[in-house]
mmCIF file of all heavy atoms in Angstrom:
data_model
loop_
_atom_site.group_PDB
_atom_site.id
_atom_site.type_symbol
_atom_site.label_atom_id
_atom_site.label_comp_id
_atom_site.label_asym_id
_atom_site.label_seq_id
_atom_site.Cartn_x
_atom_site.Cartn_y
_atom_site.Cartn_z
ATOM 1 N N GLY P 1 -11.837 -6.800 7.026
ATOM 2 C CA GLY P 1 -10.711 -6.280 7.780
ATOM 3 C C GLY P 1 -9.820 -7.391 8.301
ATOM 4 O O GLY P 1 -8.586 -7.286 8.274
ATOM 5 N N GLY P 2 -10.433 -8.486 8.766
ATOM 6 C CA GLY P 2 -9.650 -9.634 9.212
ATOM 7 C C GLY P 2 -8.853 -10.257 8.083
ATOM 8 O O GLY P 2 -7.707 -10.682 8.270
ATOM 9 N N ALA P 3 -9.449 -10.301 6.884
ATOM 10 C CA ALA P 3 -8.750 -10.862 5.725
ATOM 11 C C ALA P 3 -7.550 -10.006 5.342
ATOM 12 O O ALA P 3 -6.463 -10.525 5.066
ATOM 13 C CB ALA P 3 -9.713 -10.991 4.550
ATOM 14 N N THR P 4 -7.744 -8.688 5.306
ATOM 15 C CA THR P 4 -6.625 -7.822 4.945
ATOM 16 C C THR P 4 -5.528 -7.871 6.009
ATOM 17 O O THR P 4 -4.341 -7.815 5.683
ATOM 18 C CB THR P 4 -7.091 -6.367 4.733
ATOM 19 O OG1 THR P 4 -7.794 -5.912 5.899
ATOM 20 C CG2 THR P 4 -8.019 -6.264 3.540
ATOM 21 N N GLN P 5 -5.926 -8.004 7.262
ATOM 22 C CA GLN P 5 -4.927 -8.121 8.330
ATOM 23 C C GLN P 5 -4.133 -9.416 8.181
ATOM 24 O O GLN P 5 -2.914 -9.438 8.376
ATOM 25 C CB GLN P 5 -5.607 -8.065 9.697
ATOM 26 C CG GLN P 5 -4.626 -8.084 10.864
ATOM 27 C CD GLN P 5 -5.343 -7.967 12.200
ATOM 28 O OE1 GLN P 5 -6.507 -8.344 12.334
ATOM 29 N NE2 GLN P 5 -4.653 -7.448 13.194
ATOM 30 N N GLN P 6 -4.809 -10.513 7.823
ATOM 31 C CA GLN P 6 -4.118 -11.777 7.620
ATOM 32 C C GLN P 6 -3.117 -11.668 6.469
ATOM 33 O O GLN P 6 -1.987 -12.154 6.564
ATOM 34 C CB GLN P 6 -5.120 -12.898 7.324
ATOM 35 C CG GLN P 6 -4.472 -14.274 7.134
ATOM 36 C CD GLN P 6 -5.490 -15.355 6.854
ATOM 37 O OE1 GLN P 6 -6.689 -15.179 7.057
ATOM 38 N NE2 GLN P 6 -5.019 -16.499 6.383
ATOM 39 N N LEU P 7 -3.532 -11.022 5.375
ATOM 40 C CA LEU P 7 -2.612 -10.829 4.258
ATOM 41 C C LEU P 7 -1.411 -9.995 4.676
ATOM 42 O O LEU P 7 -0.276 -10.271 4.275
ATOM 43 C CB LEU P 7 -3.341 -10.153 3.091
ATOM 44 C CG LEU P 7 -4.341 -11.005 2.320
ATOM 45 C CD1 LEU P 7 -5.116 -10.145 1.330
ATOM 46 C CD2 LEU P 7 -3.651 -12.149 1.593
ATOM 47 N N ASP P 8 -1.649 -8.969 5.487
ATOM 48 C CA ASP P 8 -0.549 -8.133 5.964
ATOM 49 C C ASP P 8 0.429 -8.944 6.815
ATOM 50 O O ASP P 8 1.645 -8.837 6.670
ATOM 51 C CB ASP P 8 -1.103 -6.978 6.795
ATOM 52 C CG ASP P 8 -1.119 -5.673 6.014
ATOM 53 O OD1 ASP P 8 -0.876 -5.709 4.791
ATOM 54 O OD2 ASP P 8 -1.379 -4.633 6.624
ATOM 55 N N GLN P 9 -0.110 -9.763 7.702
ATOM 56 C CA GLN P 9 0.739 -10.557 8.588
ATOM 57 C C GLN P 9 1.578 -11.546 7.805
ATOM 58 O O GLN P 9 2.763 -11.754 8.081
ATOM 59 C CB GLN P 9 -0.117 -11.277 9.631
ATOM 60 C CG GLN P 9 -0.740 -10.355 10.663
ATOM 61 C CD GLN P 9 -1.741 -11.059 11.561
ATOM 62 O OE1 GLN P 9 -2.178 -12.182 11.280
ATOM 63 N NE2 GLN P 9 -2.109 -10.415 12.656
ATOM 64 N N GLN P 10 0.972 -12.174 6.790
ATOM 65 C CA GLN P 10 1.682 -13.195 6.027
ATOM 66 C C GLN P 10 2.536 -12.598 4.915
ATOM 67 O O GLN P 10 3.419 -13.267 4.398
ATOM 68 C CB GLN P 10 0.683 -14.203 5.446
ATOM 69 C CG GLN P 10 -0.024 -15.013 6.534
ATOM 70 C CD GLN P 10 -1.010 -16.018 5.973
ATOM 71 O OE1 GLN P 10 -2.169 -15.698 5.760
ATOM 72 N NE2 GLN P 10 -0.554 -17.217 5.739
ATOM 73 N N GLY P 11 2.281 -11.338 4.581
ATOM 74 C CA GLY P 11 3.042 -10.697 3.515
ATOM 75 C C GLY P 11 3.963 -9.603 3.998
ATOM 76 O O GLY P 11 4.435 -8.796 3.204
ATOM 77 N N GLY P 12 4.206 -9.533 5.292
ATOM 78 C CA GLY P 12 5.134 -8.542 5.813
ATOM 79 C C GLY P 12 4.628 -7.120 5.749
ATOM 80 O O GLY P 12 5.409 -6.170 5.696
ATOM 81 N N GLY P 13 3.298 -6.937 5.735
ATOM 82 C CA GLY P 13 2.724 -5.601 5.717
ATOM 83 C C GLY P 13 2.598 -4.994 4.335
ATOM 84 O O GLY P 13 2.175 -3.843 4.201
ATOM 85 N N ILE P 14 2.925 -5.773 3.292
ATOM 86 C CA ILE P 14 2.925 -5.200 1.951
ATOM 87 C C ILE P 14 1.516 -4.833 1.488
ATOM 88 O O ILE P 14 1.337 -3.899 0.711
ATOM 89 C CB ILE P 14 3.600 -6.172 0.952
ATOM 90 C CG1 ILE P 14 3.854 -5.474 -0.394
ATOM 91 C CG2 ILE P 14 2.758 -7.430 0.767
ATOM 92 C CD1 ILE P 14 4.808 -4.333 -0.314
ATOM 93 N N GLY P 15 0.500 -5.551 1.958
ATOM 94 C CA GLY P 15 -0.864 -5.265 1.516
ATOM 95 C C GLY P 15 -1.295 -3.858 1.841
ATOM 96 O O GLY P 15 -1.839 -3.147 0.985
ATOM 97 N N SER P 16 -1.052 -3.414 3.068
ATOM 98 C CA SER P 16 -1.455 -2.067 3.439
ATOM 99 C C SER P 16 -0.634 -1.022 2.696
ATOM 100 O O SER P 16 -1.139 0.054 2.360
ATOM 101 C CB SER P 16 -1.308 -1.869 4.955
ATOM 102 O OG SER P 16 0.023 -2.068 5.365
ATOM 103 N N LYS P 17 0.634 -1.316 2.405
ATOM 104 C CA LYS P 17 1.450 -0.382 1.638
ATOM 105 C C LYS P 17 0.919 -0.237 0.211
ATOM 106 O O LYS P 17 0.862 0.871 -0.337
ATOM 107 C CB LYS P 17 2.901 -0.856 1.614
ATOM 108 C CG LYS P 17 3.580 -0.796 2.971
ATOM 109 C CD LYS P 17 4.980 -1.372 2.902
ATOM 110 C CE LYS P 17 5.632 -1.390 4.288
ATOM 111 N NZ LYS P 17 6.978 -1.999 4.271
ATOM 112 N N LEU P 18 0.529 -1.357 -0.380
ATOM 113 C CA LEU P 18 -0.041 -1.298 -1.719
ATOM 114 C C LEU P 18 -1.334 -0.502 -1.733
ATOM 115 O O LEU P 18 -1.560 0.324 -2.615
ATOM 116 C CB LEU P 18 -0.295 -2.716 -2.244
ATOM 117 C CG LEU P 18 0.925 -3.486 -2.726
ATOM 118 C CD1 LEU P 18 0.610 -4.972 -2.808
ATOM 119 C CD2 LEU P 18 1.401 -2.961 -4.056
ATOM 120 N N MET P 19 -2.199 -0.745 -0.749
ATOM 121 C CA MET P 19 -3.469 -0.039 -0.705
ATOM 122 C C MET P 19 -3.236 1.458 -0.506
ATOM 123 O O MET P 19 -3.907 2.297 -1.129
ATOM 124 C CB MET P 19 -4.349 -0.600 0.419
ATOM 125 C CG MET P 19 -5.779 -0.109 0.374
ATOM 126 S SD MET P 19 -6.586 -0.563 -1.175
ATOM 127 C CE MET P 19 -7.968 0.576 -1.153
ATOM 128 N N THR P 20 -2.273 1.817 0.341
ATOM 129 C CA THR P 20 -1.954 3.225 0.544
ATOM 130 C C THR P 20 -1.481 3.864 -0.752
ATOM 131 O O THR P 20 -1.855 4.989 -1.088
ATOM 132 C CB THR P 20 -0.873 3.375 1.630
ATOM 133 O OG1 THR P 20 -1.370 2.858 2.860
ATOM 134 C CG2 THR P 20 -0.489 4.833 1.829
ATOM 135 N N ALA P 21 -0.664 3.134 -1.508
ATOM 136 C CA ALA P 21 -0.171 3.666 -2.778
ATOM 137 C C ALA P 21 -1.307 3.868 -3.763
ATOM 138 O O ALA P 21 -1.352 4.861 -4.490
ATOM 139 C CB ALA P 21 0.878 2.729 -3.371
ATOM 140 N N VAL P 22 -2.251 2.925 -3.804
ATOM 141 C CA VAL P 22 -3.387 3.050 -4.719
ATOM 142 C C VAL P 22 -4.227 4.259 -4.361
ATOM 143 O O VAL P 22 -4.754 4.960 -5.236
ATOM 144 C CB VAL P 22 -4.241 1.762 -4.697
ATOM 145 C CG1 VAL P 22 -5.579 1.972 -5.395
ATOM 146 C CG2 VAL P 22 -3.483 0.624 -5.355
ATOM 147 N N LEU P 23 -4.359 4.538 -3.079
ATOM 148 C CA LEU P 23 -5.125 5.704 -2.648
ATOM 149 C C LEU P 23 -4.325 7.001 -2.770
ATOM 150 O O LEU P 23 -4.802 8.049 -2.367
ATOM 151 C CB LEU P 23 -5.585 5.508 -1.191
ATOM 152 C CG LEU P 23 -6.628 4.415 -0.997
ATOM 153 C CD1 LEU P 23 -6.937 4.232 0.491
ATOM 154 C CD2 LEU P 23 -7.900 4.731 -1.758
ATOM 155 N N ASP P 24 -3.105 6.882 -3.325
ATOM 156 C CA ASP P 24 -2.275 8.051 -3.603
ATOM 157 C C ASP P 24 -1.775 8.705 -2.328
ATOM 158 O O ASP P 24 -2.293 9.704 -1.859
ATOM 159 C CB ASP P 24 -3.002 9.076 -4.473
ATOM 160 C CG ASP P 24 -2.053 10.192 -4.914
ATOM 161 O OD1 ASP P 24 -0.843 9.944 -4.993
ATOM 162 O OD2 ASP P 24 -2.542 11.292 -5.147
ATOM 163 N N ARG P 25 -0.741 8.147 -1.830
ATOM 164 C CA ARG P 25 -0.171 8.580 -0.566
ATOM 165 C C ARG P 25 0.205 10.058 -0.563
ATOM 166 O O ARG P 25 0.029 10.758 0.429
ATOM 167 C CB ARG P 25 1.069 7.722 -0.272
ATOM 168 C CG ARG P 25 1.687 7.950 1.090
ATOM 169 C CD ARG P 25 2.812 6.947 1.288
ATOM 170 N NE ARG P 25 3.328 6.998 2.631
ATOM 171 C CZ ARG P 25 4.201 6.120 3.113
ATOM 172 N NH1 ARG P 25 4.617 5.134 2.360
ATOM 173 N NH2 ARG P 25 4.644 6.222 4.342
ATOM 174 N N ASP P 26 0.794 10.561 -1.705
ATOM 175 C CA ASP P 26 1.248 11.950 -1.688
ATOM 176 C C ASP P 26 0.211 12.919 -2.223
ATOM 177 O O ASP P 26 0.475 14.114 -2.333
ATOM 178 C CB ASP P 26 2.577 12.108 -2.454
ATOM 179 C CG ASP P 26 2.462 11.718 -3.933
ATOM 180 O OD1 ASP P 26 1.325 11.603 -4.431
ATOM 181 O OD2 ASP P 26 3.509 11.544 -4.575
ATOM 182 N N GLY P 27 -0.983 12.405 -2.577
ATOM 183 C CA GLY P 27 -2.092 13.279 -2.917
ATOM 184 C C GLY P 27 -2.008 13.964 -4.260
ATOM 185 O O GLY P 27 -2.749 14.898 -4.523
ATOM 186 N N ASP P 28 -1.120 13.476 -5.162
ATOM 187 C CA ASP P 28 -0.964 14.181 -6.429
ATOM 188 C C ASP P 28 -1.781 13.566 -7.556
ATOM 189 O O ASP P 28 -1.683 13.985 -8.700
ATOM 190 C CB ASP P 28 0.516 14.249 -6.837
ATOM 191 C CG ASP P 28 1.104 12.875 -7.156
ATOM 192 O OD1 ASP P 28 0.398 11.866 -6.996
ATOM 193 O OD2 ASP P 28 2.280 12.823 -7.580
ATOM 194 N N GLY P 29 -2.581 12.529 -7.250
ATOM 195 C CA GLY P 29 -3.446 11.947 -8.266
ATOM 196 C C GLY P 29 -2.783 10.906 -9.122
ATOM 197 O O GLY P 29 -3.355 10.454 -10.106
ATOM 198 N N ASP P 30 -1.569 10.470 -8.787
ATOM 199 C CA ASP P 30 -0.876 9.495 -9.608
ATOM 200 C C ASP P 30 -0.054 8.593 -8.707
ATOM 201 O O ASP P 30 0.401 9.006 -7.646
ATOM 202 C CB ASP P 30 0.049 10.222 -10.607
ATOM 203 C CG ASP P 30 0.632 9.276 -11.639
ATOM 204 O OD1 ASP P 30 0.033 8.223 -11.871
ATOM 205 O OD2 ASP P 30 1.681 9.615 -12.227
ATOM 206 N N VAL P 31 0.120 7.347 -9.138
ATOM 207 C CA VAL P 31 0.996 6.440 -8.413
ATOM 208 C C VAL P 31 2.388 6.612 -8.999
ATOM 209 O O VAL P 31 2.717 6.058 -10.037
ATOM 210 C CB VAL P 31 0.526 4.978 -8.551
ATOM 211 C CG1 VAL P 31 1.451 4.056 -7.776
ATOM 212 C CG2 VAL P 31 -0.893 4.831 -8.030
ATOM 213 N N ASP P 32 3.219 7.425 -8.348
ATOM 214 C CA ASP P 32 4.542 7.707 -8.889
ATOM 215 C C ASP P 32 5.609 7.035 -8.042
ATOM 216 O O ASP P 32 5.323 6.213 -7.184
ATOM 217 C CB ASP P 32 4.773 9.212 -8.997
ATOM 218 C CG ASP P 32 4.610 9.921 -7.655
ATOM 219 O OD1 ASP P 32 4.686 9.232 -6.611
ATOM 220 O OD2 ASP P 32 4.423 11.146 -7.657
ATOM 221 N N SER P 33 6.858 7.376 -8.288
ATOM 222 C CA SER P 33 7.956 6.702 -7.600
ATOM 223 C C SER P 33 7.900 6.909 -6.097
ATOM 224 O O SER P 33 8.295 6.030 -5.321
ATOM 225 C CB SER P 33 9.301 7.209 -8.149
ATOM 226 O OG SER P 33 9.405 8.609 -7.999
ATOM 227 N N ALA P 34 7.389 8.039 -5.656
ATOM 228 C CA ALA P 34 7.286 8.273 -4.217
ATOM 229 C C ALA P 34 6.276 7.334 -3.581
ATOM 230 O O ALA P 34 6.495 6.802 -2.492
ATOM 231 C CB ALA P 34 6.889 9.732 -3.956
ATOM 232 N N ASP P 35 5.154 7.120 -4.279
ATOM 233 C CA ASP P 35 4.155 6.192 -3.768
ATOM 234 C C ASP P 35 4.687 4.764 -3.759
ATOM 235 O O ASP P 35 4.485 4.011 -2.812
ATOM 236 C CB ASP P 35 2.898 6.241 -4.641
ATOM 237 C CG ASP P 35 2.239 7.601 -4.659
ATOM 238 O OD1 ASP P 35 2.059 8.179 -3.576
ATOM 239 O OD2 ASP P 35 1.899 8.088 -5.752
ATOM 240 N N LEU P 36 5.358 4.378 -4.861
ATOM 241 C CA LEU P 36 5.801 2.997 -4.998
ATOM 242 C C LEU P 36 6.987 2.668 -4.111
ATOM 243 O O LEU P 36 7.306 1.501 -3.916
ATOM 244 C CB LEU P 36 6.144 2.717 -6.464
ATOM 245 C CG LEU P 36 4.957 2.827 -7.423
ATOM 246 C CD1 LEU P 36 5.422 2.654 -8.855
ATOM 247 C CD2 LEU P 36 3.889 1.815 -7.086
ATOM 248 N N ALA P 37 7.623 3.671 -3.525
ATOM 249 C CA ALA P 37 8.725 3.402 -2.608
ATOM 250 C C ALA P 37 8.260 2.570 -1.422
ATOM 251 O O ALA P 37 9.015 1.762 -0.883
ATOM 252 C CB ALA P 37 9.337 4.712 -2.126
ATOM 253 N N ALA P 38 7.008 2.776 -1.007
ATOM 254 C CA ALA P 38 6.475 1.986 0.109
ATOM 255 C C ALA P 38 6.417 0.517 -0.249
ATOM 256 O O ALA P 38 6.667 -0.350 0.584
ATOM 257 C CB ALA P 38 5.084 2.492 0.488
ATOM 258 N N MET P 39 6.071 0.228 -1.515
ATOM 259 C CA MET P 39 6.033 -1.166 -1.951
ATOM 260 C C MET P 39 7.435 -1.738 -2.060
ATOM 261 O O MET P 39 7.714 -2.843 -1.610
ATOM 262 C CB MET P 39 5.314 -1.274 -3.298
ATOM 263 C CG MET P 39 3.833 -1.030 -3.216
ATOM 264 S SD MET P 39 3.010 -1.348 -4.786
ATOM 265 C CE MET P 39 3.212 0.242 -5.575
#
């Protein structure tokens, strides 16, 4: 958790956005344009 937080701090929060997209933010089972908008 500390490592991911460090990556978020140094990367402007992009790490958590990427992880959210991988877990399928909109719940449709695919990483689509809506998910990738966070990135």
Side-chain angles (χ1 to χ4, degrees):
T4 55
Q5 184 178 27
Q6 182 180 345
L7 288 172
D8 257 10
Q9 290 172 346
Q10 294 180 272
I14 191 64
S16 60
K17 293 176 183 178
L18 283 163
M19 191 60 198
T20 298
V22 168
L23 292 176
D24 188 26
R25 186 175 187 172
D26 61 15
D28 66 356
D30 189 23
V31 181
D32 57 19
S33 58
D35 299 313
L36 296 175
M39 289 186 274

